[in-house]
Amino acid sequence: MTYRTIFKAACIGFALATAVSMLPQPSSAETLKVVKSATSSSLNVPMNRAVVVESETPFAELSIANPAIADISSLSDRTIYVLGKAPGITTLTLLDANGRLITNVDVVVAADVTEFKERLKQILPGEKIEVRTANDGIVLSGSVSSAQRLQRALDLAERYAPERVSNLMTVSGVQQVMLKVRFAEMQRNVRKSLSSSLALNGIENGVTLNGGSGTTNTSGGASNSLGGSIPAVNENAGAMLFGFGVGSVEVGLLIEALENKGVVRTLAEPNLVALSGQEAKFLAGGEYPVPVSQDNGTITVEFKPFGVELDFVPRVVDGDLVNLELKAAVSAIDTSNGYQTEAFTIDAFRRRETSTTVELRDGQSFAIAGLLQDEFVDANGQIPWLGDIPVLGALFRSAEYQRNQSELVVIISAHLVSPTRGEALALPTDRIKPPSEKDLFLFGRVARDESRRLKGAAGEVAKQDFNGSYGYVME
C-alpha cells in the first residue's frame, strides 16, 4: 500500500506540474531593474505586452493611478508584474510597511511597433526610416530614396495604426526633372500642270469660224489667244503664245505651264525644369484676339495662345525612374484659312498637339508621337474626242497633279538635374557684344569681333556655337 500510495502521489504531482507548465506564463515579460529607492524613474511598456520590474527595496503596498492604461500585480515583495493595456502615461507608486513612499514610477504605454519594424526592414531594405510611437499612433522619420518607397512605408504603417500615422520622412536624391521636347516636322509639296487654249476666228469659203478651247488655268484663254496677249492674271510659272493666219482664218494658241516645289522645315525644342510632383508650364509665342458674341448681343474678345507650349507634371518614382504626364503643342497663325465678315477677319490656327503619360529613366528618350501624310491629287480636263487624238490631242486638254507629303515626330527626353552656381551658367547674349560707335558707323559692324571674356564654365560655353547645350547641369 505504501508503494502504491507513493506512486499515485508521484503521478498526481507530475500531472499538476504539467498542467501548471501549460498555463499562460508571462514569457514575454522582461526583467528590468528600473526602480531605485527614493528616486523617480520611467518605465516603457509596449501595449499588450508585460514587463517584470524588480525593486531594490522591499515594498508592502502597490498602486497604479490609471488601471485602464496599465495593470499591475505583485509576484513577491520585490517583484512587480506590469501589463500594458492602452496607450498613455500613468504613475506606479511603491510604499513600504510603514506607509512611507519608496518611489514613483512613470509607466509609459505605447503601441507595439516591433513587428512593424521587422516588416518595414523586409519590405524596404536599406532605407533609413526611424519608427517612434506617439500616444496611440506611429511617427515615421528619416529619409527614403524615392517618393514611391515613402508611400509604401506610409501604407504599411496604416495597417498597424489606421489614421494615426505622422509622416516626418524626406525624400533624398535628385527630385528636379528637366524635360526636353523636340518637335521636328518636314513638309514637301510638288505641283505640275500643263494646259493650252486654241481659238479660231474667220471666214473660209463662206463659212464663219469662231470658237476654241479655253482649258488653261486662267479665264479667257481662248480670247487671249486671239487677242495676241498673255493674260495679265497668270497663276502659271510660264506662258507661250502662238498666232498665225490661214487665209482669212486667224489661229491663236496659248500654252501655259506650271511646276512648283517647296520644302518646309519646322523645329522647336522647349526645355523646362520642375520639381517632382509639381506642374510646370511654358509658352513661347503670343496670344491672338478672337471676338466672341455673347447672349446679350455684345462682343467680347478672348485671347487664344499660339506658339510653343509645354505643360508637364514629373514624378520621380524610384531612383532615376521618372513618370511624366505632359501636354505639348506647336501652333502658328494660318492666314490662308480663316473666317471673314464685313466687319473683321479672323485667322485660323495651324496646330500640332500631343498629350500622354509615359515612364522613362534619367537620360532616356521616347518618340511619343508621329505623323506621316501623303496626299496626291490628279486632274485631267479635255475636249471630248479631240483630246484623245495622238500628239495633237495635247492642244485640247490640260493635266495637273499635286502631291503633298508631311512627316512629324515628337521626341521627349528626361534628365534629373541639380542647381549650380550662377557664374557657371551662360546666356546666348554672352556670345554677342554690342558694337561701339566706331565699329558701327565707320566699319559697319553690328557686333564686336571679340566677345566679353568670361571665366570658368560660362566662358567655355560662351566660346561655343549656338548649337551647344548650355544652361543646366545634368547628372
Side-chain angles (χ1 to χ4, degrees):
M1 295 295 294
T2 305
Y3 293 108
R4 182 178 297 178
T5 304
I6 295 175
F7 178 76
K8 290 182 178 180
C11 291
I12 294 173
F14 178 78
L16 292 175
T18 304
V20 172
S21 63
M22 294 178 64
L23 292 175
Q25 301 293 326
S27 57
S28 60
E30 299 179 1
T31 302
L32 301 175
K33 293 184 179 181
V34 296
V35 180
K36 297 182 180 179
S37 178
T39 61
S40 178
S41 58
S42 178
L43 175 64
N44 295 320
V45 181
M47 190 171 59
N48 298 325
R49 299 286 294 275
V51 174
V52 175
V53 182
E54 294 184 356
S55 174
E56 295 180 350
T57 303
F59 57 85
E61 186 179 350
L62 296 174
S63 64
I64 190 76
N66 190 349
I69 296 178
D71 194 6
I72 59 173
S73 63
S74 59
L75 303 179
S76 67
D77 60 350
R78 292 177 180 267
T79 309
I80 311 169
Y81 183 85
V82 183
L83 174 64
K85 298 174 65 177
I89 301 176
T90 186
T91 303
L92 172 63
T93 304
L94 280 68
L95 302 175
D96 59 11
N98 297 323
R100 292 194 298 266
L101 176 66
I102 298 177
T103 185
N104 286 325
V105 180
D106 291 334
V107 179
V108 181
V109 179
D112 187 10
V113 294
T114 304
E115 182 183 0
F116 172 63
K117 290 180 179 180
E118 294 177 356
R119 296 292 180 267
L120 197 61
K121 290 181 180 179
Q122 294 174 359
I123 297 175
L124 300 175
E127 298 294 342
K128 300 178 180 179
I129 302 178
E130 298 179 1
V131 182
R132 296 181 177 87
T133 58
N135 199 3
D136 59 344
I138 297 177
V139 179
L140 300 179
S141 60
S143 62
V144 292
S145 58
S146 65
Q148 186 181 31
R149 296 197 171 191
L150 183 145
Q151 188 60 44
R152 289 177 183 174
L154 292 177
D155 293 341
L156 183 61
E158 285 289 336
R159 291 286 185 177
Y160 290 86
E163 299 182 357
R164 299 190 306 276
V165 179
S166 298
N167 177 26
L168 301 180
M169 295 182 292
T170 59
V171 180
S172 60
V174 180
Q175 295 297 308
Q176 295 181 119
V177 180
M178 184 188 76
L179 186 65
K180 180 179 181 180
V181 180
R182 287 176 287 174
F183 289 87
E185 183 178 12
M186 288 293 297
Q187 294 182 350
R188 297 175 292 273
N189 60 80
V190 177
R191 180 185 176 188
K192 293 183 180 181
S193 65
L194 179 63
S195 58
S196 63
S197 296
L198 179 64
L200 301 175
N201 188 19
I203 301 174
E204 183 66 26
N205 296 326
V207 179
T208 302
L209 300 176
N210 190 354
S213 60
T215 57
T216 59
N217 292 334
T218 58
S219 61
S223 60
N224 281 282
S225 300
L226 293 175
S229 62
I230 297 177
V233 179
N234 193 346
E235 296 179 356
N236 296 315
M240 185 177 295
L241 178 65
F242 296 95
F244 57 91
V246 180
S248 60
V249 178
E250 295 180 355
V251 180
L253 177 63
L254 175 62
I255 299 177
E256 296 179 275
L258 169 68
E259 181 176 6
N260 283 341
K261 295 182 179 179
V263 176
V264 178
R265 176 179 181 268
T266 302
L267 179 65
E269 294 190 10
N271 294 350
L272 191 59
V273 177
L275 188 64
S276 176
Q278 301 297 318
E279 182 182 9
K281 294 184 178 181
F282 176 89
L283 172 62
E287 292 186 341
Y288 184 80
V290 177
V292 178
S293 178
Q294 303 298 324
D295 296 337
N296 56 5
T298 61
I299 296 179
T300 60
V301 177
E302 291 185 2
F303 289 87
K304 302 294 184 180
F306 68 92
V308 180
E309 301 175 61
L310 175 61
D311 299 347
F312 80 104
V313 179
R315 294 179 180 88
V316 181
V317 179
D318 191 2
D320 61 348
L321 184 62
V322 182
N323 176 283
L324 290 176
E325 181 182 347
L326 64 96
K327 179 181 179 181
V330 173
S331 58
I333 297 177
D334 187 2
T335 56
S336 61
N337 296 317
Y339 176 76
Q340 184 174 2
T341 63
E342 297 179 357
F344 50 80
T345 300
I346 303 176
D347 294 327
F349 284 87
R350 188 167 176 268
R351 185 177 181 90
R352 283 81 72 204
E353 179 179 349
T354 179
S355 177
T356 185
T357 301
V358 295
E359 276 191 355
L360 66 168
R361 296 193 178 275
D362 178 26
Q364 292 183 338
S365 300
F366 255 131
I368 61 171
L371 174 65
L372 181 62
Q373 282 185 310
D374 191 349
E375 298 179 357
F376 180 79
V377 179
D378 188 0
N380 189 4
Q382 67 178 23
I383 297 177
W385 302 297
L386 296 180
D388 297 329
I389 301 175
V391 183
L392 294 179
L395 300 178
F396 300 95
R397 65 172 177 259
S398 64
E400 178 182 0
Y401 83 87
Q402 182 174 352
R403 186 174 187 178
N404 297 326
Q405 293 177 315
S406 63
E407 185 176 0
L408 171 65
V409 177
V410 181
I411 300 175
I412 62 168
S413 302
H415 301 277
L416 298 177
V417 296
S418 300
T420 184
R421 301 186 310 275
E423 58 270 16
L425 302 178
L427 300 175
T429 53
D430 294 335
R431 302 177 178 88
I432 303 298
K433 193 172 183 180
S436 62
E437 294 183 357
K438 176 181 176 181
D439 292 334
L440 179 61
F441 295 107
L442 187 59
F443 299 104
R445 297 171 182 169
V446 295
R448 293 191 186 183
D449 293 337
E450 68 278 3
S451 59
R452 182 166 55 95
R453 294 184 178 181
L454 300 175
K455 297 180 180 180
E460 295 297 326
V461 174
K463 296 178 183 178
Q464 300 176 5
D465 192 10
F466 283 97
N467 295 326
S469 299
Y470 58 89
Y472 301 96
V473 176
M474 295 181 291
E475 293 185 350

